[in-house]
């Protein structure tokens, strides 16, 4: 399934390529860092920083964009996203930024054009609440974290 998503590259995106799927079966598009070529951002261990992508999008109603960590950055450097996954709502028109956090032991340098996150576009379901006095019983019941095993 394919949908049309309008994209507005901002001035500081100039010279970068629009995100694309890396393989035919990829779920996400890799987002680039739109930081100045001569002024990369260094994230010290334990710190986080908002990284600009230089892109604003207009999703169709009924869709969201989830901004997720890249597994390679996490595995190699301990880099993740603070609010993972981040959500871009269909009515948001500002620049997409990625709040990267360095869980690693060394400073991490974010260079211009580096793929810093992936964006997955997904349908959104809205709910209607149905207040009830009691919920149906299940085998799990009220068992929470760890209640079904390790």
């Amino acid at each position: 399934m394919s949908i049309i998503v309008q994209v507005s590259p901002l001035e500081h995106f100039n010279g970068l390529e629009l995100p694309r799927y890396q393989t035919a079966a990829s779920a996400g598009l890799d987002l680039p860092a739109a930081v100045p070529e001569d002024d990369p951002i260094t994230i010290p261990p334990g710190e986080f920083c908002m990284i600009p992508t230089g892109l604003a999008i207009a999703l169709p109603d009924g869709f969201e964009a989830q901004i997720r960590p890249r597994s390679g950055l996490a595995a190699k450097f301990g880099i993740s996203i603070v609010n993972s996954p981040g959500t871009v709502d269909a009515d948001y028109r500002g620049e997409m930024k990625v709040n990267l956090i360095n869980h690693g032991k060394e400073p991490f340098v974010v260079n211009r054009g580096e793929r810093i996150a992936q964006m997955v576009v997904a349908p959104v379901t809205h709910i209607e609440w149905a207040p009830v006095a009691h919920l149906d019983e299940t085998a799990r019941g009220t068992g929470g974290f760890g209640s079904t095993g390790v």
Side-chain angles (χ1 to χ4, degrees):
M1 179 173 108
S2 181
I3 63 167
I4 303 296
V5 175
Q6 295 177 348
V7 60
S8 179
L10 305 174
E11 188 173 323
H12 55 284
F13 184 82
N14 287 344
L16 297 175
E17 292 184 23
L18 285 175
R20 63 183 177 84
Y21 296 99
Q22 296 297 310
T23 68
S26 293
L29 303 106
D30 290 338
L31 297 176
V35 299
E37 187 80 45
D38 60 351
D39 193 17
I41 294 175
T42 299
I43 307 172
E47 299 292 322
F48 55 90
C49 186
M50 294 291 281
I51 308 297
T53 66
L55 297 171
I57 61 173
L59 293 163
D61 285 345
F63 288 87
E64 68 160 332
Q66 296 177 7
I67 309 303
R68 302 178 181 179
R70 291 193 61 238
S71 60
L73 290 180
K76 294 175 185 172
F77 306 105
I79 302 300
S80 192
I81 298 176
V82 175
N83 60 320
S84 179
T87 298
V88 179
D89 294 305
D91 58 353
Y92 177 68
R93 295 296 182 269
E95 179 180 10
M96 293 187 295
K97 294 183 180 180
V98 180
N99 196 359
L100 288 184
I101 187 165
N102 184 352
H103 291 296
K105 296 178 180 162
E106 300 294 328
F108 182 75
V109 178
V110 180
N111 293 298
R112 181 168 183 79
E114 185 167 1
R115 295 177 294 149
I116 56 169
Q118 58 182 323
M119 179 179 81
V120 175
V121 176
V124 172
T125 301
H126 285 185
I127 67 163
E128 292 184 27
W129 292 110
V132 297
H134 301 284
L135 299 176
D136 295 341
E137 294 292 326
T138 67
R140 182 176 185 170
T142 59
F145 293 99
S147 66
T148 60
V150 179

